[in-house]
Amino acid sequence: MSPSLRPFLVVFLTPQRTVEPLEYYRTFLKENCRPDGRELGGFRTTTVNIGSITTADGSALVKIGNTTVICGIKAEFAAPTIDAPNQGYVVPNVDLPPLCSSRFRSGPPGEEAQVASQFIADVIENSQMIVKEDLCISNGKLVWVLYCDILCLDYDGNLLDACTCSLLAALKNVQLPAVKIHERTGLAQVNMNEKTPLKIGKHPVSTSFAVFDNTLLIVDPTGEEESLATGTITIVIDEENRLCSVHKPGGSPLTGENLQDCISRAITRHKEVKTLIDKIMESIKAK
């Protein structure tokens, strides 16, 4: 194409993206690419910063493209339940404030925030990333409760992957102090000079896909791509390639072949994300 014609192409495509965004995307998808230059199976740049909040017991900031979330973890004492006297708690919460996108409003958590919080809770439970017995301080008397607050700072699609990654990285940053129960008083004695890293049982990583025209799969969708898609699906895999969770909120059905393709891509993505987090943890230990 002549350089002199390129400005006219831009002028033509820009109105099309506004008036007919789906047709605009289809022109790219037919060429197996996307408007941001990625291939259909290409992920946006992922960055992880661990230990971002000094006042938290563990924290991590994750950025996937323009989507940014931060997870802060606070460890507190709690009494165990009668049914599980030797188990602690992990309480996740995802917050989507108006700050991160104009699509969200102030007030009580909206549906998307509630769905994301439940998704994270299911991932924690199904993957066994935290063995709840490891959070027991004194059987029947005292356990740890981990409050995992995940805040979205900038929303541009693929929220669940960013939340899962930030949670995993933040949990790996947690160090719990030694605690003993005084025999006479029954009070907890905390030794802040003796801390132990939180034991991570499994390392779940989620990979999200958007479905276009009921058949075409693209990974790591942006906010715009999610709004135009006929469906989405999120696959959660651990380091043993075990399927921990499948989240598909309606939309286009997937064939067995497409589902297997999603799982295969999720396995590859897991290796990439875990390697990234492990390298960051090693660099922190080396300091």
Side-chain angles (χ1 to χ4, degrees), residues 136-154:
C136 181
I137 299 171
S138 179
N139 197 327
K141 296 181 179 179
L142 196 66
V143 297
W144 287 110
V145 53
L146 302 179
Y147 292 102
C148 308
D149 291 311
I150 303 174
L151 174 67
C152 183
L153 302 177
D154 195 354

Side-chain angles (χ1 to χ4, degrees), residues 11 31 65 80 82 100 161 163 188 190 202 220 259 272:
V11 170
E31 302 299 325
I82 298 176
C100 71
D161 287 11
C163 288
V190 182
K202 297 295 180 182
D220 183 20
L259 181 58
E272 296 172 352

